[in-house]
Amino acid sequence: MNIKGDAVMDNEERYRLFCGAIEELDKGVALINEYDSLLHNYGGEIMFQAESHMIKAIGNWPGVTASQLAKTFNKSNSACSQLINKMKKKRWVQQERNEENSREYNLTLTEEGRKIYEKHHEFEEACYMRAYMMLDDVTPEELKAYIGIQKRLNRAFWMDVEESRSL
């Protein structure tokens, strides 16, 4: 076979490998979506993943506002406020009027919310450690390469999202 034929064959094989990688990524996304749809138990409190994400964010950034959280989670202000109100009723979150802007409220965790935050953190660390240990034969260079590839794919996915939004 000539050099041009080899290049075509290499490109076809590379594309097949790429498609296989995307199929595995899709399986991972499906598992993440399933996990996020399930109820979770953090220290005796049963909650949806959206609630635990919100607790984590408020715990990480005490004083954050609902509008800041809406931007962080790419949600509407209304959806974010509804979730915060549910969490206030459960006494996990409290709000205080912002002294500099009386139209805004700063959010913090209650004592109960802080306990959930800690239990969630412990659970998340255990999950990360399990996955990390499963990759014990992966070199730092391979991890760096994966991160670089994922960043490039994320740019392509962002372009797909933007294109679909414009339809």
Side-chain angles (χ1 to χ4, degrees), residues 60-103:
N60 287 344
W61 305 300
V64 68
T65 65
S67 61
Q68 290 169 327
L69 290 171
K71 287 177 187 170
T72 298
F73 293 114
N74 198 23
K75 304 251 184 236
S76 70
N77 284 341
S78 174
C80 203
S81 291
Q82 287 176 18
L83 183 55
I84 290 167
N85 284 333
K86 286 181 185 178
M87 294 171 65
K88 283 175 30 189
K89 286 179 185 172
K90 294 178 180 182
R91 298 194 170 129
W92 298 342
V93 172
Q94 58 194 8
Q95 64 184 25
E96 218 174 272
R97 190 174 298 276
N98 185 322
E99 292 178 12
E100 296 171 14
N101 181 349
S102 62
R103 292 178 292 148

Side-chain angles (χ1 to χ4, degrees), residues 21 23 25 28 47 71 97 99 118 120 135 138 140 143 145 163:
E23 286 175 19
L25 179 64
M47 65 182 63
K71 287 177 187 170
R97 190 174 298 276
E99 292 178 12
E118 294 298 331
H120 176 268
L135 299 174
V138 175
L143 282 173
E163 184 178 299

Side-chain angles (χ1 to χ4, degrees), residues 24-39:
E24 288 302 317
L25 179 64
D26 285 344
K27 289 176 188 176
V29 168
L31 289 168
I32 290 168
N33 286 338
E34 181 178 355
Y35 178 83
D36 283 349
S37 73
L38 299 172
L39 289 169

Side-chain angles (χ1 to χ4, degrees), residues 40 42 44-48 50-52 54-55 58 83-95 107-117:
H40 298 272
Y42 301 114
E45 292 292 344
I46 308 297
M47 65 182 63
F48 287 102
E51 293 171 318
S52 66
M54 191 71 68
I55 283 181
I58 295 168
L83 183 55
I84 290 167
N85 284 333
K86 286 181 185 178
M87 294 171 65
K88 283 175 30 189
K89 286 179 185 172
K90 294 178 180 182
R91 298 194 170 129
W92 298 342
V93 172
Q94 58 194 8
Q95 64 184 25
L107 302 166
T108 56
L109 297 177
T110 63
E111 186 175 327
E112 187 62 32
R114 174 69 47 194
K115 288 177 188 174
I116 295 167
Y117 173 84

Side-chain angles (χ1 to χ4, degrees), residues 15-29 150 153 157:
Y15 184 71
R16 276 195 294 277
L17 285 170
F18 168 78
C19 289
I22 294 298
E23 286 175 19
E24 288 302 317
L25 179 64
D26 285 344
K27 289 176 188 176
V29 168
Q150 189 62 57
L153 286 173
F157 298 155

